[in-house]
């Protein structure tokens, strides 16, 4: 009989091994122990926490709702909410209003570390480990010949090694964005998230998201093919355009932008089958990034939770259960964002949407829900935007 070892040398098989300790992975680990406090869960990541992660740092109300479902309703209570959102369309139309439920901006160095510690406190084994091999052995999965699990959740990010190991290709370039992120000083009372869209290399936009401590997360992103069309080094394009856009983002003269880092965003328009056999993909590894906004933390928490529910509820066929759960939670929403991303290839469509949102609160709220949560677009509101769009182009 084959002898199976865990990383700590104890005989046995882990009920769940989670690869990647970002929001998706931590959510999976937390949910598993929440559902069954006696199950054996191992959470591995190649990095030590806390660690920086290039991201916009925005945590929408929808993500906080997921935190509450995971038993962490107070995780961000010491961070000031950002109650307002201002969006400028490529053609100059602008909307600025209070969001129905405030968002938060929390650096990933802080947010991710808190999730990992919450998982550890719930009884999850947390280890630093880099996964290099993965094989199926009967009713379990072997990682690096030393770790054995009934189910594996791969939450190891945009460049997921596990996704590659199970034979799924990376996100196609046409469905991948790239962004640069840094931090700049802002007035301590700045409480407005700002998005400025650009016609140059459309679709592209810059952002300023105030953390609440006198700094803001500043960034600029565009589709990967648009970056390559510039014919210049990526760093030169990203940093240069961000520098030019800073005056439009900040009402006061910007100081030095610190900690500039670039990152890829695999958009949900190119999402793959979310796993293979007993291996489930969650978060960025599953290409769950909103193609309209680049938001991914809500999707990460949600998909991690659903992956754990499938792993524990249907360990013999977790992928089928996981796909069913994703379809129920995000099916209509993802079809909506697929369609809107296609329409948004024309910046005039976005101009029309922002112009209508500036006049109608329910349209503004809807755009926030679609861009940051799991919202869909009712036909009557889609018609209102389409009519404005047609009027503008005739």
């Amino acid at each position: 009989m084959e002898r199976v070892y865990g990383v700590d040398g104890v005989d046995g098989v882990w009920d769940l091994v989670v690869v990647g300790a970002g929001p998706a992975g931590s959510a999976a680990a937390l949910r598993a122990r929440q559902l069954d406090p006696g199950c054996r869960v191992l959470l591995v990541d190649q990095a030590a926490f806390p660690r920086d992660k290039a991201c916009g740092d925005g945590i929408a109300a929808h993500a906080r709702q997921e935190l509450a479902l995971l038993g962490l309703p107070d995780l961000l209570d010491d961070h000031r909410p950002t109650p307002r959102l201002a969006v400028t369309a490529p053609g100059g139309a602008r909307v600025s209003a209070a969001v129905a439920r405030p968002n938060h901006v929390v650096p990933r160095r802080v947010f991710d570390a808190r999730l990992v510690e919450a998982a550890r406190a719930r009884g999850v084994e947390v280890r630093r480990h880099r996964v290099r091999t993965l094989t199926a052995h009967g009713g379990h999965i072997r990682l690096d010949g030393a770790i054995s699990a009934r189910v594996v959740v791969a939450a190891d990010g945009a460049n997921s090694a596990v996704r590659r190991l199970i034979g799924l290709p990376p996100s196609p370039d046409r469905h991948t964005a790239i962004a640069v992120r840094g931090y700049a000083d802002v007035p301590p009372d700045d409480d407005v998230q700002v998005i400025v869209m650009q016609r140059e290399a459309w679709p592209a936009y810059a952002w300023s998201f105030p953390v609440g401590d006198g700094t803001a997360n500043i960034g600029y992103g565009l589709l990967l093919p648009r970056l390559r069309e510039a014919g210049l080094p990526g760093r030169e394009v990203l940093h240069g355009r961000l520098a030019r856009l800073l005056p439009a983002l900040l009402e006061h003269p910007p100081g030095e932008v610190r900690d500039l880092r670039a990152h890829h965003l695999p958009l949900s328009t190119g999402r793959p089958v979310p796993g293979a056999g007993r291996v489930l993909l969650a978060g960025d590894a599953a290409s769950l990034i909103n193609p309209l906004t680049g938001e991914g933390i809500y999707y990460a928490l949600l998909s991690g939770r659903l992956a754990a529910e499938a792993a524990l509820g249907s360990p013999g066929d977790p992928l089928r259960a996981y796909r069913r759960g994703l379809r129920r939670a995000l099916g209509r929403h993802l079809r909506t964002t697929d369609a809107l991303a296609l329409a948004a290839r024309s910046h005039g469509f976005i101009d029309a949407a922002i112009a209508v949102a500036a006049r109608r609160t329910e349209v503004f709220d809807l755009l926030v829900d679609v861009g940051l949560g799991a919202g869909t677009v009712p036909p009557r509101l889609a018609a209102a935007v389409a009519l404005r769009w047609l009027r503008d182009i005739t």
Side-chain angles (χ1 to χ4, degrees):
M1 181 176 178
E2 182 184 19
R3 200 175 188 193
V4 180
Y5 294 91
V7 293
D8 52 4
V10 177
D11 292 354
V13 179
W14 296 92
D15 294 302
L16 179 65
V17 170
V18 183
V19 182
S26 291
L30 284 160
R31 184 59 168 168
R33 290 286 296 185
Q34 188 180 42
L35 292 172
D36 180 1
C39 69
R40 299 185 68 224
V41 181
L42 174 64
L43 177 62
V44 301
D45 197 291
Q46 62 182 350
F49 287 75
R51 57 93 176 96
D52 188 21
K53 178 74 172 179
C55 177
D57 295 341
I59 301 175
H62 310 78
R64 287 204 67 173
Q65 193 170 1
E66 281 297 316
L67 292 175
L69 286 172
L70 294 171
L72 304 173
D74 306 324
L75 190 72
L76 308 179
D77 278 0
D78 59 337
H79 279 73
R80 191 187 71 194
T82 52
R84 296 185 63 83
L85 174 66
V87 182
T88 301
R94 188 174 186 271
V95 60
S96 179
V99 293
R101 294 184 294 167
N103 301 315
H104 284 73
V105 182
V106 182
R108 293 287 297 275
R109 177 183 294 276
V110 175
F111 182 58
D112 291 12
R114 289 185 180 185
L115 287 173
V116 170
E117 286 309 306
R120 197 193 308 271
R122 197 169 285 179
V124 173
E125 185 77 17
V126 180
R127 294 292 178 98
R128 190 172 183 183
H129 180 84
R130 181 177 182 179
V131 174
R132 292 179 171 84
T133 66
L134 183 149
T135 55
H137 287 269
H140 59 266
I141 303 294
R142 294 289 296 276
L143 296 89
D144 299 318
I147 304 171
S148 184
R150 292 185 172 87
V151 180
V152 171
V153 171
D156 50 341
N159 300 310
S160 171
V162 176
R163 176 169 163 167
R164 183 173 63 253
L165 289 171
I166 62 174
L168 293 177
S171 178
D173 284 359
R174 68 183 184 279
H175 296 300
T176 302
I178 186 168
V180 62
R181 172 237 69 185
Y183 292 94
D185 294 331
V186 296
D189 60 352
D190 186 352
D191 63 355
V192 182
Q193 290 183 283
V194 177
I195 294 175
V196 178
M197 301 179 183
Q198 295 293 299
R199 283 192 180 184
E200 182 183 19
W202 177 257
Y205 77 85
W207 71 84
S208 172
F209 296 164
V211 176
D213 60 356
T215 64
N217 181 305
I218 305 290
Y220 169 80
L222 75 169
L223 288 175
L224 193 55
R226 297 290 182 268
L227 176 71
R228 290 176 174 159
E229 287 170 4
L232 298 170
R235 180 186 180 94
E236 182 178 338
V237 174
L238 292 169
H239 290 203
R241 290 182 182 173
L242 176 59
R244 291 202 305 272
L245 288 167
L246 280 176
L249 292 170
L250 306 176
E251 295 182 358
H252 69 290
E256 179 186 0
V257 179
R258 306 175 296 277
D259 300 328
L260 283 166
R261 293 185 62 182
H263 58 291
H264 287 85
L265 297 92
L267 306 177
S268 63
T269 47
R271 57 192 178 276
V273 175
R278 295 173 181 267
V279 180
L280 312 178
L281 303 178
D284 290 10
S287 295
L288 287 175
I289 298 286
N290 191 301
L292 304 172
T293 61
E295 200 284 337
I297 291 179
Y298 166 66
Y299 288 166
L301 294 170
L302 172 65
S303 61
R305 173 173 65 83
L306 294 175
E309 292 172 0
L312 268 65
S314 303
D317 190 5
L319 182 57
R320 182 191 297 269
Y322 182 45
R323 295 183 72 175
R324 187 165 57 244
L326 285 172
R327 191 162 50 246
R328 282 197 302 263
L330 291 175
R332 289 185 60 210
H333 167 72
L334 291 175
R335 289 193 295 273
T336 296
T337 55
D338 286 349
L340 291 177
L342 184 62
R345 290 180 182 177
S346 166
H347 64 76
F349 175 82
I350 298 298
D351 292 337
I354 297 304
V356 173
R359 295 185 291 103
R360 299 175 57 176
T361 301
E362 74 273 21
V363 175
F364 175 80
D365 292 341
L366 176 71
L367 292 179
V368 172
D369 197 38
V370 170
L372 302 181
T376 59
V377 179
R380 62 183 179 83
L381 293 182
V385 172
L387 287 172
R388 174 64 186 246
W389 185 18
L390 290 172
R391 191 187 76 185
D392 290 346
I393 62 177
T394 57

